[in-house]
């Protein structure tokens, strides 16, 4: 027999920021397969429309795509009004927009005696602007949509928010300090907001995906020309007890669990979906 809490998710409306990306698309498909109406928001307008069109036609459930910049409050307010007008009240929000950039990535993993003459390739070569951009996209890009979309949830005393964190929230990977700091802040914010909303029926949780091969990390873990794993890619696999990169669909069970009433008494947690990465000490 199907779980009743999952049955109840049918027909609910879920906004997915960054929904045009790899993981967002997969989450949209997973939710649509359970009858959820998805609203795909992405700064890449073409991707948002394409995903929405394909999801609607593949699952026979309504799906909408709108261009939105998660860092621009007026863009978010505008799309909120459009959603209320054309789709309905928002039941769920997935804050999926995020990513890293080469501009906030050091070339060196560590400073050593041998590379003391290359300090600019490490921490000292980072430019505040690049750092700020990545931090803002991941952190403010979660904060702002929540400010705009959660107000209606609080007013209705019902809603679920799911933030997308990362393994970097627990232990930062070398080279990407801005991304790590932002994802760590997302975990802290998830706990803070969960407490803040706990008495008014709005739950706030997060997932921390392990390693999935997508556009944001492809340049770090595979060789651009040959497609072979870089040393970093090999290290990731060696530190993932299951020995593989995750498939985007691997997130869908946890997403459904945290969004549905199955997790009715759960708020303020972050679930790793990582093939054992966060459990492994490397030895
Ligand atoms: P992706 O690059 O495929 O998707 C990110 C999407 O966000 C893109 O479609 C992009 O256009 C959109 N976006 C970027 N800036 C935006 C803005 N200002 N406003 C609106 N949309 C914007 O990456 P992905 O791997 O699918 O990542 C999705 C989320 O998962 C991100 O938060 C990422 O940090 C997180 N994550 C990914 C991995 C992984 O292994 N790929 C691991 C852990 C966490």
């Amino acid at each position: 027999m199907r779980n009743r809490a999952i049955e109840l998710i049918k027909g609910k409306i879920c906004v997915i920021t960054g929904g045009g990306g790899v993981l967002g698309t997969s989450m949209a498909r997973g939710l649509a397969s359970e009858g959820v109406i998805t609203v795909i928001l992405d700064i890449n307008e073409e991707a948002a429309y394409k995903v929405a069109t394909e999801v609607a036609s593949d699952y026979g459930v309504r799906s909408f795509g709108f261009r939105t910049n998660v860092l621009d409050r007026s863009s978010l307010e505008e799309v909120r009004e459009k959603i209320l007008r054309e789709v309905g009240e928002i039941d769920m929000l997935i804050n999926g927009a995020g990513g890293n950039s080469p501009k906030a990535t050091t070339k060196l993993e560590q400073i050593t005696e041998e590379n003391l003459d290359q300090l600019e390739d490490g921490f000292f070569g980072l430019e505040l602007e690049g750092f700020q951009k990545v931090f803002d996209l991941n952190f403010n890009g979660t904060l702002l949509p929540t400010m705009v979309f959660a107000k209606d949830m609080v007013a209705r005393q019902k809603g679920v928010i799911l933030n997308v964190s990362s393994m970097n929230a627990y232990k930062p990977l070398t080279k990407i300090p801005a991304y790590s700091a932002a994802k760590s802040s997302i975990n802290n914010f998830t706990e803070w907001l969960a407490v803040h909303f706990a008495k008014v029926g709005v739950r706030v949780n997060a997932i921390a995906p392990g390693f999935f091969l997508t556009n944001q990390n492809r340049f770090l873990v595979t060789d651009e020309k040959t497609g072979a794993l870089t040393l970093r890619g090999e290290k990731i696999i060696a530190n993932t007890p299951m020995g593989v990169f995750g498939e985007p669909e691997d997130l869908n069970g946890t997403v459904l669990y945290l969004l549905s009433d199955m997790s009715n008494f759960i708020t303020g947690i972050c679930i790793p979906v990582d093939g054992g990465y966060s459990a492994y000490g490397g030895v």
Side-chain angles (χ1 to χ4, degrees):
M1 201 184 85
R2 298 273 292 146
N3 185 298
R4 178 150 166 76
I6 297 221
E7 283 293 320
L8 287 176
I9 209 168
K10 210 183 233 172
K12 293 254 167 81
I13 296 171
C14 181
V15 167
I16 308 175
T17 73
V22 178
L23 301 186
T25 299
S26 171
M27 290 182 212
R29 300 184 77 85
L31 290 170
S33 74
E34 298 294 339
V36 174
I37 298 165
T38 48
V39 182
I40 313 296
L41 303 186
D42 206 289
I43 200 162
N44 180 340
E45 186 165 27
E46 209 185 315
Y49 288 148
K50 183 167 179 278
V51 172
T53 308
E54 287 175 3
V55 165
S57 103
D58 289 354
Y59 299 95
V61 188
R62 287 190 302 152
S63 181
F64 301 79
F66 300 115
R67 183 193 181 276
T68 314
N69 180 358
V70 291
L71 296 175
D72 176 355
R73 192 165 188 143
S74 61
S75 158
L76 288 160
E77 297 282 6
E78 217 171 90
V79 85
R80 173 186 157 269
E81 274 170 28
K82 219 186 267 179
I83 296 168
L84 291 177
R85 223 175 27 240
E86 296 177 23
V87 190
E89 298 268 17
I90 298 163
D91 299 294
M92 300 170 273
L93 166 66
I94 299 179
N95 282 311
N100 189 36
S101 152
K103 286 200 178 120
T105 304
T106 63
K107 290 202 183 88
L108 295 174
E109 287 192 352
Q110 290 184 294
I111 291 179
T112 64
E113 280 183 21
E114 284 71 40
N115 61 30
L116 276 174
D117 57 341
Q118 301 167 44
L119 290 183
E120 292 301 305
D121 288 340
F123 172 65
F124 301 101
L126 284 171
E127 281 180 29
L128 189 59
E129 197 192 329
F131 197 105
Q132 190 82 52
K133 255 194 175 153
V134 167
F135 189 88
D136 285 355
L137 171 59
N138 290 281
F139 187 70
N140 293 351
T142 294
L143 190 69
L144 259 186
T146 306
M147 279 179 172
V148 172
F149 297 122
K151 224 176 196 174
D152 299 328
M153 294 182 185
V154 168
R156 295 163 70 209
Q157 304 216 10
K158 189 145 188 55
V160 193
I161 296 163
L162 183 65
N163 296 329
V164 180
S165 178
S166 151
M167 285 299 108
N168 286 276
Y170 304 99
K171 285 268 184 289
L173 262 63
T174 56
K175 295 187 173 182
I176 50 174
Y179 182 75
S180 299
K183 291 298 189 185
S184 186
S185 305
I186 285 178
N187 283 30
N188 190 280
F189 171 61
T190 299
E191 293 180 344
W192 186 88
L193 198 66
V195 172
H196 197 63
F197 287 168
K199 295 247 176 10
V200 290
V202 178
R203 298 189 295 113
V204 189
N205 290 298
I207 48 166
F211 294 89
F212 296 76
L213 202 51
T214 58
N215 301 335
Q216 70 160 17
N217 61 16
R218 203 175 300 274
F219 74 98
L220 280 173
V221 298
T222 57
D223 185 284
E224 219 175 309
K225 287 187 194 108
T226 66
L229 284 180
T230 58
L231 189 59
R232 193 174 178 84
E234 281 174 8
K235 268 192 192 170
I236 287 170
I237 294 299
N239 280 284
T240 301
M242 288 190 180
V244 286
F245 285 104
E247 295 295 333
E249 309 81 74
D250 293 336
L251 294 174
N252 292 351
T254 310
V255 169
L256 189 61
Y257 169 66
L258 288 175
L259 289 181
S260 74
D261 288 351
M262 272 214 286
S263 57
N264 221 6
F265 195 47
I266 292 181
T267 196
I269 66 159
C270 179
I271 301 186
V273 184
D274 65 348
Y277 181 91
S278 59
Y280 185 42
V283 181

